[in-house]
Amino acid sequence: MNTYNMIGLMSGSSLDGLDIAYVTFTKGQNWKHVLHHTKHVPYDQVLQEKLLHAQQLNALDSHLLDQKLGEWMGEQVKTFINENQITPEAIAVHGHTLFHAPNAKISVQIGSPFAIAATCNLPVIAHFRSGDVQRGGQGAPLVPAGELALFFDYDFCLNLGGIANITSVDQRNCVAFDICVANQVLNYLAEQKGLPYDAEGQLAASGQIHAELLQKLNDLSFFELNPPKSL
């Protein structure tokens, strides 16, 4: 039986901060996992603004931000390790996406894994999308392979990130695709009320369905029935 003690890092399109998790994965007849510790580190206003406009940077400034973000992530991991007195074997990091154009075989994430590795003195696993887009895949959603391995006894997995996506957990015919925006819009609307996000969905629960707006959304061509290809 193989056991792996890993730290995972995620910076999503909702631009709220860095999520850190310490997880033990065990490979027997099936994969199993135990989630030990988690932490959310909000971006300060300066870093958040830089990331928000990072797509407009020239090549040099983009690489400088890549380096600085990686160093910052590495420092957050070091703090997380010390706080929880843990000994991870490696770090898995997706990075923060700047450009995603799979039809052009391009997907660019910043948060240099080399800077993270140098800061933490730990191996870093990264560039999860790159191989898939080079082979004609979409590189997204990011999580179906993990869902197939860890949640094989479910029919579907719904991931509510900056964008919502769903995976049909079927080893013979796995299908995964984006379905609509999620926290990108929800956080924006919560901020109009002076809140960073809608805690426990309290604002949403107190609202009413706007039938006309819902119909306009459902009429968008994005939501036409067009089943994606299997993974």
Side-chain angles (χ1 to χ4, degrees), residues 53-174:
H53 302 290
Q55 293 165 319
Q56 303 168 17
L57 295 175
N58 60 40
L60 175 59
D61 289 336
S62 178
H63 282 293
L64 288 172
L65 182 57
D66 178 37
Q67 175 69 19
K68 292 298 183 183
L69 181 60
E71 291 175 353
W72 180 84
M73 287 180 170
E75 291 296 336
Q76 306 314 311
V77 170
K78 284 174 64 177
T79 299
F80 180 74
I81 289 173
N82 291 333
E83 287 174 346
N84 295 290
Q85 294 297 294
I86 53 179
T87 54
E89 299 167 47
I91 299 166
V93 55
H94 168 253
H96 186 83
T97 300
L98 284 193
F99 303 102
H100 185 67
N103 291 340
K105 297 186 177 181
I106 295 173
S107 188
V108 178
Q109 285 75 39
I110 59 172
S112 169
F114 304 103
I116 297 171
T119 304
C120 298
N121 197 30
L122 283 168
V124 174
I125 306 164
H127 299 295
F128 294 103
R129 299 190 195 273
S130 302
D132 185 56
V133 297
Q134 289 303 315
R135 291 171 173 80
Q138 291 291 304
L142 186 65
V143 291
E147 291 170 337
L148 278 173
L150 297 174
F151 306 114
F152 52 87
D153 50 347
Y154 287 81
D155 294 326
F156 295 92
C157 287
L158 176 65
N159 175 46
L160 298 175
I163 296 173
N165 53 68
I166 194 167
T167 301
S168 170
V169 185
D170 185 333
Q171 297 285 349
R172 297 163 299 176
N173 187 33
C174 177

Side-chain angles (χ1 to χ4, degrees), residues 186-199 202-203:
L186 297 177
N187 287 358
Y188 171 79
L189 294 174
E191 288 168 2
Q192 309 311 300
K193 296 290 187 179
L195 301 171
Y197 63 96
D198 184 8
Q202 293 179 6
L203 290 177

Side-chain angles (χ1 to χ4, degrees), residues 198-218:
D198 184 8
E200 305 295 329
Q202 293 179 6
L203 290 177
S206 66
Q208 295 180 338
I209 295 175
H210 191 307
E212 183 180 355
L213 177 59
L214 177 61
Q215 186 60 52
K216 288 182 178 180
L217 291 172
N218 284 334

